[in-house]
Amino acid sequence: MSLLAGKTVVVSGVGAGLGHQVAAAVVRDGGNAVLGARTEANLAKSAAEIDPDGAHTAYRATDITDETQCEALAGLARERFGGIDAVVHVAAWDGYFGGLEDADFVTWQSVIDVNLLGSLRMTRACLPPLKERGGSVVFIGTQSAVAAPSEVRQAAYAASKGALTSAMYSLARELGPYRIRVNTVLPGWMWGPPVRAFVQFAAQTEAVPEGDVLKRLSDRMALPELATDGDVADAAVFLSSDRARAITGQSLLVNAGELMR
């Protein structure tokens, strides 16, 4: 039996990277994927690649800072597929760099509004159908929330994702009586569009081959390679499935063994 046979999963933040991989893994494993992101053209492209005949996907342009739009995406899932079994939160603002000394706290507030409050808005919008039959909420966090990398400084991103992981513990207790599980996947260096761009930039800046930059990263791993977007997507799909029925309130590092806890 397929891992997600007959199940419907809402996936936020579907673009060219991890969100696309999560949605693709949902359909691959027998489920229905309901895609949300701000740009409708990206959603249409992703859905067409994942599910050419459109039988197992639906999508709606969704800004998770807007509660009404979150409710509309949840409504689409119920209207098209009859309910919701899981929601995977990929949508995030990860493009703001810097630390405390150069912090623009107005931007910090916006990062928190997307990464923390946006995920909570989307979760609350999905609660009525999730309560009907139980299910799973999967937050995509970041290893940088528990161990800051030396190469880049993303204090606002790390803090907002750390707050989301802390909220997970409370939600796991609150929603457990409805048989709704709440977990977090913490990726480290994850081979996909953002890390590919970092490797290219670092190689150009340092005037070294891209392979040297990539090796510098992978040499830290217990496994001799970086995890990929697809590896993180597989972890999210597992936590969305009934195979993880007794797992809640947990953070799963998917990082090829760079950090062990």
Side-chain angles (χ1 to χ4, degrees), residues 41-230:
N42 291 343
L43 293 170
K45 182 175 184 294
S46 189
E49 292 176 3
I50 292 166
D51 180 37
D53 65 5
H56 298 286
T57 56
Y59 60 86
R60 186 185 298 275
T62 306
D63 182 342
I64 61 171
T65 66
D66 185 318
E67 195 158 3
T68 299
Q69 293 186 39
C70 292
E71 291 170 353
L73 185 64
L76 174 64
R78 177 176 258 172
E79 175 187 334
R80 177 72 188 279
F81 298 114
I84 297 174
D85 298 283
V87 54
V88 179
H89 298 279
V90 183
W93 185 348
D94 61 358
Y96 174 63
F97 295 87
L100 177 63
E101 289 186 301
D102 57 352
D104 172 1
F105 287 124
V106 172
T107 304
W108 272 61
Q109 287 177 322
S110 296
V111 171
I112 290 168
D113 192 33
V114 174
N115 296 348
L116 172 61
L117 299 180
S119 296
L120 297 180
R121 286 186 195 97
M122 193 68 245
T123 299
R124 186 163 69 177
C126 292
L127 278 184
L130 282 171
K131 284 182 177 181
E132 292 174 0
R133 50 196 184 193
S136 176
V137 176
V138 181
F139 296 125
I140 302 297
T142 175
Q143 180 178 289
S144 65
V146 295
S150 58
E151 292 83 4
V152 294
R153 187 170 295 158
Q154 290 179 291
Y157 176 67
S160 64
K161 289 292 192 175
L164 186 61
T165 300
S166 294
M168 173 196 72
Y169 300 117
S170 294
L171 294 181
R173 287 286 184 190
E174 178 184 352
L175 303 181
Y178 303 110
R179 297 191 180 278
I180 299 171
R181 298 172 289 106
V182 189
N183 295 287
T184 302
V185 178
L186 301 177
W189 289 96
M190 178 178 64
W191 187 249
V195 172
R196 188 178 295 112
F198 169 80
V199 168
Q200 292 170 346
F201 174 77
Q204 291 172 0
T205 302
E206 300 170 23
V208 298
E210 291 180 15
D212 289 0
V213 179
L214 185 57
K215 185 176 186 304
R216 191 167 70 215
L217 297 177
S218 61
D219 279 349
R220 304 173 186 175
M221 315 301 171
L223 300 172
E225 59 184 341
L226 269 63
T228 67
D229 285 355

Side-chain angles (χ1 to χ4, degrees), residues 18-41:
L18 179 58
H20 174 83
Q21 293 297 330
V22 171
V26 168
V27 174
R28 177 201 68 199
D29 287 349
N32 304 309
V34 180
L35 289 56
R38 290 181 299 170
T39 305
E40 187 167 2

